[in-house]
Amino acid sequence: MLIRVVREPRPGERRVALVPRGAAALVTSGHRVVVPPGVGMDAGMTDEAYIAAGAEISDGAPAADVVVGVGPLTLDDVGPTKAVIGFLDPLGAPAEIARFAEAGITALALELIPRSTLAQSMDALSSQATSAGYEAVLLGAFALPRFLPMMMTAAGTVRPARVLVLGAGVAGLQAIATARRLGAIVSGYDIRPAAREQVESLGAKFVGGPVVAAAEQAGGYAAEVDEETRRQQQDALAAAVAESDLIITTAQVQGRRAPLLITAAMVSSMKPASVIIDLAAPTGGNCELTSPGEVVAHFGVAIHGPEDLARNTAGDASEMYSRNVLSLITHLTHDGSLVIGPDDEIATSTCVARGGKVTDERVLAALEGRV
Ligand code: NAD
């Protein structure tokens, strides 16, 4: 197959979908890999490294069997191809999936990789959430006018900062682990009962709040909670929010608005110069005051709404993403071409457009305004 890497369309994106190591593996398997010049420079991958891996450097867009990118990608980004693999935002931008279908392109959305043991190596949401969770703590540490660890110095003893992490999935657990390594006093909370043990195993305190067994769906994703539970959550979290120096929020519900966990009144109760890093900003935010892509000041508290922190660790995030892409392509390739087998759960879950049609029920529902 001819596998082409796109130049990432979003301003500020520093990751690359396929690193030289991934390109080498595909070339060894008999594929051609074409990359635009300089495509990996921001992630620390030189053209020379791609050439040494057996890839071709080309500024054109030769007709491809598969185009890979980080994305989110639209039809305008990919050029001539039979298939596309990347973040495609299928539930947020279903009209773009319809455009792929109309163009006869098979679209594979990495957001929809199933959470099975077999698919773990392809799980790009998790690999990028790991980077984002780590980066959120670093961003918070820079923004905070305090040390995170306790320090005993000749100039006195400095108390450690208190960090609260709301949502203890992949990003949240990484944020907890990172904040602990930096010496902060860390607490965490999640709606799923299973999260308590994971939070505690990282040496953080689990904040008492409602946990709802039914909130855990297949694959570990959380479901939306009702208004009453949301109110109970806000009440239960109020004291922990007020005493925190740094809050990292990561709570998400797939395909829905992020749950509102911190109200404006709760922000007002925080100490001046405290910081909130809201990783759920792109899906509406966990804090009432969050504005995506901006830093909002409220009574001296800075609320950051970063849109994609994973790109900051572009080198390692690209390495992980590339392994996810390579693993998916390897899984789907039979006799030298990409096959979407009807009995292959990974293929059918991830494929959202094929044969001129949108093939995913949730995307169809979003297109028809049923959600
Ligand atoms: P996510 O990004 O969808 O959500 C982040 C966290 O927010 C989740 O832990 C979720 O429970 C939490 N959340 C949602 N609504 C909330 C609310 N109202 N209040 C508080 N917290 C709320 O999830 P994720 O980080 O991708 O993963 C969630 C779970 O899935 C984790 O347990 C993870 O280990 C598991 N997982 C399994 C696999 C696999 O089996 N291959 C892969 C990835 C993740």
Side-chain angles (χ1 to χ4, degrees):
M1 293 191 290
L2 192 152
I3 298 163
R4 180 158 50 77
V5 179
V6 290
R7 196 181 290 289
E8 291 301 323
R10 287 199 301 172
E13 181 55 74
R14 297 165 60 213
R15 289 169 291 178
V16 60
L18 197 64
V19 302
R21 198 195 310 265
L26 289 170
V27 170
T28 304
S29 303
H31 304 296
R32 273 179 73 195
V33 174
V34 179
V35 302
V39 73
M41 277 311 283
D42 289 345
M45 321 286 166
T46 61
D47 286 355
E48 289 71 26
Y50 280 104
I51 292 166
E56 300 158 44
I57 309 285
S58 164
D59 222 357
D65 294 287
V66 186
V67 158
V68 296
V70 178
L73 301 174
T74 65
L75 181 64
D76 304 322
D77 303 322
V78 302
T81 184
K82 290 183 194 158
V84 57
I85 294 176
F87 287 133
L88 306 179
D89 194 14
L91 306 180
E96 289 298 335
I97 305 301
R99 291 182 70 211
F100 281 123
E102 279 159 28
I105 294 174
T106 299
L108 295 150
L110 286 179
E111 291 93 336
L112 301 180
I113 288 280
R115 288 173 152 192
S116 59
T117 308
L118 183 61
Q120 240 168 354
S121 62
M122 309 163 202
D123 187 348
L125 273 188
S126 288
S127 71
Q128 302 309 294
T130 300
S131 270
Y134 168 83
E135 282 292 332
V137 176
L138 299 193
L139 178 62
F142 273 120
L144 206 61
R146 306 182 44 89
F147 298 123
L148 288 197
M150 180 171 89
M151 288 203 194
M152 295 168 86
T153 76
T157 299
V158 179
R159 73 163 175 86
R162 290 186 179 277
V163 176
L164 173 65
V165 177
L166 301 181
V170 180
L173 290 175
Q174 187 56 237
I176 290 173
T178 305
R180 286 275 299 154
R181 284 183 204 118
L182 287 172
I185 298 177
V186 186
S187 349
Y189 167 72
D190 196 289
I191 191 78
R192 292 177 298 105
R196 172 187 284 271
E197 198 189 323
Q198 292 162 349
V199 166
E200 289 175 348
S201 73
L202 290 170
K205 181 176 158 236
F206 192 80
V207 178
V211 288
V212 181
E216 179 136 11
Q217 297 182 321
Y221 281 116
E224 227 171 2
V225 296
D226 58 27
E227 200 52 48
E228 173 59 16
T229 309
R230 190 161 20 242
R231 203 189 45 72
Q232 285 172 5
Q233 284 189 304
Q234 290 167 359
D235 289 350
L237 293 172
V241 166
E243 68 174 18
S244 296
D245 300 295
L246 170 61
I247 302 181
I248 316 264
T249 66
T250 74
Q252 309 253 19
V253 177
Q254 202 193 29
R256 306 263 178 217
R257 191 207 180 282
L260 187 59
L261 300 174
I262 304 177
T263 61
M266 288 161 82
V267 176
S268 308
S269 75
M270 295 176 74
K271 295 183 286 283
S274 303
V275 173
I276 297 175
I277 309 289
D278 191 345
L279 287 189
T283 51
N286 294 141
C287 173
E288 190 178 352
L289 299 168
T290 298
S291 176
E294 290 179 21
V295 182
V296 176
H298 183 77
F299 291 113
V301 178
I303 303 126
H304 295 240
E307 288 183 295
D308 198 344
L309 279 183
R311 62 172 62 163
N312 291 8
T313 336
D316 281 329
S318 301
E319 288 279 0
M320 293 191 288
Y321 189 89
S322 174
R323 252 175 260 142
N324 300 143
V325 167
L326 173 65
S327 185
L328 179 62
I329 292 178
T330 307
H331 173 80
L332 295 177
T333 303
H334 301 281
D335 296 329
S337 53
L338 221 56
V339 175
I340 309 297
D343 300 326
D344 178 346
E345 195 211 349
I346 294 172
T348 52
S349 304
T350 314
C351 183
V352 287
R354 187 170 165 236
K357 292 199 175 82
V358 173
T359 51
D360 184 274
E361 178 47 40
R362 284 167 301 176
V363 178
L364 283 169
L367 273 173
E368 291 160 12
R370 285 188 271 125
V371 284

